[in-house]
Amino acid sequence: MSVGPDPVRDVVSPYDPVARAEDARLRADARLTGTIADFFLDADARLDDRTRLMLAQVLGAIVGAIEWDIRRHAARLLAGGGATQAGEAMLKAGAGGVLDRLTRAGLLRDEELMDELIARVRHDLIAASLPVEVAEPDEASLLVRLAGVPDSVVASAASALLAAESRRRVANEQGSVGGSELPAELHHRLVWWVAAAVRDGLKSVTRESDRAITDAAQRSLAAHDEGERPDAVATRLAGALDARPNELPAVLIESIGDRRLSLFVAVLAHAIGIAFDQARAITLDPEGDRLWLALRAIDLDRPTIARIGLALSEADPRRDIEAFADALDAIVSVGVEDARASLAPLALNRDFRMALRALARTDRR
């Protein structure tokens, strides 16, 4: 049964030339606003073309996968309840337009969501560009060796990371996605946004269609397992390894040389007692100051820091290798305890850190 007229949906025909002209004018104004904002961005704030392209690909794939999952299951529920036509409409009405609808609504400008996706994209691009360093030509890579050790906890986590990174790599290459691979809170937020956009695209809304969309969204939430994300698996592996101070240089160097940036980040996070996302942020920061402090906090020596810095500089064009070389003496002169003290704020509770960041933003206004 219909729930009545919807003022948002009851618009003039899409073939109305007056309405189309007005839409075109609004789109032109929006493009101009965006172009002006982009022109005045600082160079270091502007995404390079490769990152921008992959970010659009990943975001579109995640939203598209959630949309299709919700539409398909909602359609099955409707058809199973005898509403075959409503089920067909669920699959077709506005299909593929959810990303555009969320973009126009401004929902995808969510800072936490975009921070996570940009970090993921930059992480994957840098990992794929790291120079491969093999200590012994006939020796298996670090992760493959760990997957074969007698310690079942380590071996299981290493095998899981191999599988998770393989899925991520294939998804990036094919422009697809097997799941959102978002933290649970962000996945929850995005699923309900997509569900709302699917409903918004229906020509006729009934209680049955609302119930079907709701059930489909809840099914997507129940099926999401953030423990399968490469970040989470790498964190489990780092905890299982629990590398000793004398083992850290070799593990970190081999992780970088094997293009296993997730493992590098996870081992670093475990060693200095911070969350994976914090360690990833300081690893991806092109200026590198916090990363060098983190490496000194675990007492890495000059050759090890130099190798890590050089590898990251080769993989990330944003980094200034000459500035790093000039600063190397100053980096290694920092005492271990001083480095640890300077990184102490990173170990704060995540929600506490977010609250402090929000408070700092209000102070700057």
Side-chain angles (χ1 to χ4, degrees), residues 292-303:
W292 315 140
L293 284 174
L295 298 182
R296 283 299 299 141
I298 56 177
D299 202 16
L300 294 194
D301 58 19
R302 180 191 177 104

Side-chain angles (χ1 to χ4, degrees), residues 258-269:
D258 196 24
R259 288 182 171 176
R260 304 294 179 179
L261 192 58
S262 292
L263 183 56
F264 173 90
V265 171
V267 170
L268 180 62

Side-chain angles (χ1 to χ4, degrees), residues 18 32 63 124 139 143 172 179 185 218 246-247 336 364:
V18 175
L32 177 60
V63 171
D124 290 353
E139 186 175 48
L143 210 50
N172 289 340
E185 182 180 344
Q218 290 174 333
N246 63 310
E247 299 169 334
V336 173
R364 289 195 294 267

